[in-house]
Amino acid sequence: MDTLRFITCGSVDDGKSTLIGRLLFESKAIFDDQLKALQSDSRQYGTQGEKMDLALLVDGLQAEREQGITIDVAYRFFATGQRRFIVADTPGHEQYTRNMATGASTADLAVILIDARKGLLVQTRRHSRIVAMMGIRHVVLAVNKMDLVGFEQARFEAIAAEYRVFAAEFGFATVQAIPLSSLDGDNVLQASARMPWYAGATLLDYLNTVAIGEQGAQAGQGALRMPVQWVNRPNLDFRGFCGRLAAGSVRPGDAVRVLPSGVQTRVKAVWHGFDEVPLAECGDAVTLTLMDEVDASRGDVLVAVDAPPEVADQFEAKLLWMSEHAMAPGRQYLMKLACKEATATVTAIKYQVDINTGAHLAAKTLGLNEIATVNLSCSAPLVFEPYSANRTLGGFILIDKLTFETVGTGMIDFALRRASNIHWQALELKKETRAQQKHQTPRCIWFTGLSGSGKSAIANLLEKRFYAEGRHTYLLDGDNVRHGLNRDLGFTEADRVENIRRVAEVARLMVDAGLIVLVSFISPFRSERELARSKFAEGEFVEVYVDTPIEECERRDVKGLYAKARKGELRNFTGIDSPYEAPLAPEVHLHADTTALEACVEQVVQALL
């Protein structure tokens, strides 16, 4: 039998858990363990209140039962004589949309529930867009709680018609509308006598017969794609490359290519567990041994020689933001694509998608549960295929580099032409040559701290000392740079991120020119300071934390900025209504409230020496 993976989704309290409970409860011959537990219980499922206990079959967490809501994704397994099923009960609350997206990422079909009394809601529309993004081509529109609207045919048909109009842009292969009362089992397993006007299939009949696996069939018939998960070398005579086939098939003797390196070889043997097999197909977890000793490691992809996928480092992708902390273009994240990890930056938000209408909106940042089409730039070339062709090589997640929180999930559409059209121009004069001409070691000395902490004063004194010693320097000050290079930026979080990104690039160029560059910026976010650090070689970046209490900074504030911020006249001011994230391990830690400026300068010099 084949296996159908499906999710139940929709808005809050549409009856998702109850519907799954009804499927499991009424599939008596299949769900023996749960039936035995129920039969040993003295409760009878005759009254409406008692029937609601069906939801307890799938509510997995104590917190969920206490709140009466679904928080996490609960997976359950059952089978009929025709098909096996893996069903994911996903949350309806907007706060837990990220968990719904997790359930949808591996599903073949979505059961989208709608409360017959409420019709289409915002979360229903959001889940439908995510379903379409995730590549699900089959949808069951389960119009539930028909008993609460008197089983009215007109109400069902109006909801079905409205949804079909809304979903037309998604291009679903099938949209099957079914009127249900999952509480009483109407049209779940048995046709409802209370809705004689509905002549279509029941929910379980439809799940048993719907044609699925088009993508899987295409993947199985396509060219080989196997991301290397790990390299197994128990002894010197055996070196196997382990992974799961994301597409195609493989046999001993097949010619393969290792990407992104492009090295070619042939398959020596295919191992499934401890057994050598003549063939492995899409979905199989295998170990391949190769004829030649090739350099391949985790994240590389073994592919068919005559049909390789693309390799690029810049993409257009659809992105669902899953963090309460907004996404800002220019900030670095860790990107995981199949088994490969790379640093990635959203270089531009092309447009945000309006959940209700699908309209394209301008946006500078993305908030929780917002969807957009973006441009991505990665630190290394990645082997990929469009998500529509291969979920494994087209789907990715973004992870915060400091907290390791999964903050976004995305689907690659295509590589940007600039990824292949722009090449690094080799130059004969190197950074070392320029530094030797100046008789100095180039550095980026990055001063960070609150406004009024003394950053600029210390940096100015330090540059004067370097000048007196014959050093070649330049000082980049936050206020001065905003008069020119960054005059188009404000003080929102997104603008602050871009402000630091630009300055870090300029500082990198100056260090490449052999200069000692001093950067005096509040730079309030650790992630952006880490971004700046990542642009320099080991030892070139020196973080100087000018640690001055905010009370002292306010006392020194001759411009009155803190006073304006306290009154609400100045928005997004660091330390008042915008956070400052102090460095965790700076190279130099200065206490400018208790130490003279000249002594602070000496402390920096000694650290450099």
Side-chain angles (χ1 to χ4, degrees), residues 296-358:
S297 57
R298 178 179 172 83
D300 291 342
V301 184
L302 299 179
V303 304
V305 166
D306 55 352
E310 293 184 75
V311 179
D313 60 3
Q314 296 188 56
F315 312 94
E316 179 181 294
K318 296 181 180 67
L319 182 64
L320 167 65
W321 196 247
M322 303 164 67
S323 173
E324 295 178 0
H325 194 88
M327 186 279 291
R331 178 167 288 169
Q332 288 189 333
Y333 300 97
L334 186 65
M335 178 176 174
K336 288 196 70 173
L337 174 65
C339 301
K340 183 71 173 180
E341 295 183 2
T343 296
T345 301
V346 176
T347 56
I349 300 175
K350 300 189 74 171
Y351 57 84
Q352 181 184 334
V353 178
D354 184 276
I355 295 299
N356 290 301
T357 66

Side-chain angles (χ1 to χ4, degrees), residues 17 55-56 58-74 76 89-91 96 99:
S17 295
L56 294 180
V58 291
D59 283 342
L61 301 176
Q62 179 66 27
E64 294 180 345
R65 293 196 291 271
E66 290 173 352
Q67 299 182 53
I69 63 173
T70 301
I71 295 174
D72 210 340
V73 183
R76 291 296 180 265
D89 182 17
T90 63
Y96 304 113
N99 296 343

Side-chain angles (χ1 to χ4, degrees), residues 446 456 474-489 491 495 498-507 510 517-521:
W446 193 284
S456 295
Y474 196 84
L475 173 57
L476 294 170
D477 182 79
D479 284 348
N480 294 349
V481 170
R482 282 185 176 273
H483 283 287
L485 176 66
N486 293 347
R487 67 182 303 173
D488 59 319
L489 300 177
F491 291 90
D495 284 345
E498 177 62 12
N499 187 41
I500 298 304
R501 188 195 68 81
R502 292 184 191 178
V503 169
E505 291 288 357
V506 171
M510 289 184 169
V517 57
L518 297 84
V519 180
S520 176
F521 274 66

Side-chain angles (χ1 to χ4, degrees), residues 222-226 249 255-257 259 302-309:
L224 172 66
R225 306 283 187 264
M226 194 193 87
S249 60
V256 296
R257 188 193 306 264
L259 291 181
L302 299 179
V303 304
V305 166
D306 55 352

Side-chain angles (χ1 to χ4, degrees), residues 42 135 176 182 230 336 458 496 498 526 600:
S42 60
Q176 177 69 33
S182 57
W230 66 293
K336 288 196 70 173
I458 296 171
R496 287 172 181 265
E498 177 62 12
R526 294 191 190 105
C600 290

Side-chain angles (χ1 to χ4, degrees), residues 578-589:
S578 184
Y580 178 80
E581 298 171 356
L584 299 177
E587 280 76 10
V588 184
H589 191 161

